[in-house]
């Protein structure tokens, strides 16, 4: 069973997941990075360019999902270095620090709450996320074209691409595709038809929506939502 709630950390989400049956799971790209707990270990999920298949790893999972662009600031590693990867936190931070934090999370009544405390502690020490990149996410999530947003924030194409790689793990065009996918999924889950979703989310037509869903998730809209 999967459940989530807003975190005390601005823009983040705290989630828990205990698979109800064995088998592969599918984590869809969303532009985010996560701090994870599983089987007593702390891990980091980098930004995905396509659906990540979990491989049927059993047991409970917990996580804090940071909003796009915040993960690298809090975790201290450029997003592109973790693109499409899951790594042990000990590969990124000093072993002694990770050992202390792991013990703290494992001692918590709920590992998800323990992870949130870790994230809040990091946020208190880290610099503030770049407001320009936050604006970029907001504009792209609203369906604005990349070129127009780049002009508004005053960045050239190369500079925008370089800063996007560090903050999101990929360029702004890929980020826009992923945010559009999430926008479309929210519409369909709210009961909007695929045809209307395609028009409202910014796709050329329903066939375009179906192609993008297949490319980014590895399956069709019907199977994904079924």
């Amino acid at each position: 069973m999967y459940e989530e709630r807003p975190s005390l950390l601005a823009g983040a989400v705290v989630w828990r997941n205990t698979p109800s049956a064995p088998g592969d799971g599918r984590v869809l790209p969303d532009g985010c990075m996560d701090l994870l707990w599983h089987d007593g270990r702390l891990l980091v999920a980098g930004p995905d360019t396509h659906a990540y298949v979990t491989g049927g790893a059993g047991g409970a999972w917990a996580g804090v999902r940071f909003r796009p662009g915040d993960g690298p600031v809090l975790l201290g590693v450029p997003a592109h270095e973790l693109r499409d990867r899951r790594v042990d936190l000990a590969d990124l931070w000093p072993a002694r620090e990770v050992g202390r934090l792991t013990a703290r999370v494992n001692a918590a009544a709920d590992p998800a709450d323990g992870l949130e405390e870790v994230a809040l502690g990091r946020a208190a020490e880290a610099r503030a996320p770049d407001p320009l990149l936050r604006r970029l996410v907001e504009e792209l999530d609203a369906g604005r074209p990349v070129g127009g947003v780049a002009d508004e924030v005053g960045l050239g194409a190369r500079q925008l691409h370089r800063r996007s790689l560090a903050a999101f793990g990929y360029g702004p065009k890929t980020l826009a595709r992923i945010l559009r996918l999430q926008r479309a999924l929210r519409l369909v889950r709210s009961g909007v038809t695929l045809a209307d979703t395609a028009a409202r989310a910014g796709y050329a037509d329903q066939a375009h929506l179906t192609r993008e869903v297949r490319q980014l998730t590895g399956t069709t809209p019907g199977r994904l939502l079924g």
Side-chain angles (χ1 to χ4, degrees), residues 70-138:
D70 286 4
V73 176
L74 298 174
L75 298 172
V77 59
H80 64 83
E81 294 187 6
L82 300 178
R83 183 173 54 233
D84 296 320
R85 299 176 61 199
R86 274 48 176 175
V87 302
D88 284 308
L89 186 61
D91 293 339
L92 307 178
W93 293 359
R96 180 175 296 180
E97 175 71 0
V98 174
R100 182 182 68 82
L101 294 175
T102 300
R104 179 178 175 183
V105 174
N106 286 334
D110 184 334
D113 294 339
L115 284 177
E116 184 179 33
E117 291 181 6
V118 171
L120 288 167
R122 291 290 293 185
E125 300 173 356
R127 60 180 173 83
D130 189 341
L132 184 149
L133 293 174
R134 183 164 297 168
R135 181 181 173 189
L136 173 66
V137 173
E138 292 172 350

Side-chain angles (χ1 to χ4, degrees), residues 34 36-37 44 50 69 74 87 105 134 149 151 154 185-186 190 206 209 213-214 225:
D34 293 58
L36 307 172
W37 173 90
V44 173
H50 50 77
L74 298 174
V87 302
V105 174
R134 183 164 297 168
V149 176
D151 291 340
L185 292 175
R186 288 194 297 269
S190 71
Q206 185 175 333
L209 166 63
V213 169
R214 187 183 292 275
L225 297 168

Side-chain angles (χ1 to χ4, degrees), residues 3-7 12-16 63-65 112-113 116:
E3 59 181 358
E4 64 178 43
R5 64 168 174 83
S7 173
V13 171
V14 178
W15 58 267
R16 306 167 183 81
V64 176
R65 182 182 308 116
D113 294 339
E116 184 179 33

Side-chain angles (χ1 to χ4, degrees), residues 31-56:
C32 302
M33 295 173 62
D34 293 58
L35 178 63
L36 307 172
W37 173 90
H38 175 64
D39 196 23
R41 298 163 53 213
L42 299 186
L43 306 98
V44 173
D48 294 321
T49 58
H50 50 77
Y52 179 82
V53 179
T54 61

Side-chain angles (χ1 to χ4, degrees), residues 1-3 15-27 37-39 53-62:
M1 181 180 67
Y2 176 86
E3 59 181 358
W15 58 267
R16 306 167 183 81
N17 186 34
T18 303
S20 58
D24 293 342
R26 191 179 299 270
V27 180
W37 173 90
H38 175 64
D39 196 23
V53 179
T54 61
W61 288 79

Side-chain angles (χ1 to χ4, degrees), residues 133-225:
L133 293 174
R134 183 164 297 168
R135 181 181 173 189
L136 173 66
V137 173
E138 292 172 350
E139 295 290 340
L140 293 180
D141 195 30
R144 297 290 307 283
V146 172
V149 176
D151 291 340
E152 286 188 12
V153 300
L155 291 178
R158 290 184 179 180
Q159 188 179 17
L160 179 61
H161 188 80
R162 182 174 64 253
R163 291 175 70 169
S164 293
L165 283 178
F168 313 119
Y170 27 64
K173 290 185 178 179
T174 298
L175 176 63
R177 288 179 66 204
I178 288 171
L179 294 176
R180 181 175 59 182
L181 169 71
Q182 290 294 329
R183 200 159 62 244
L185 292 175
R186 288 194 297 269
L187 287 169
V188 174
R189 286 167 178 156
S190 71
V192 179
T193 66
L194 286 176
D196 286 344
T197 291
R200 291 170 58 177
Y203 295 93
D205 51 29
Q206 185 175 333
H208 182 206
L209 166 63
T210 299
R211 289 195 302 273
E212 282 287 282
V213 169
R214 187 183 292 275
Q215 289 177 10
L216 291 172
T217 73
T219 189
T220 65
R223 291 179 179 175
L224 181 65
L225 297 168

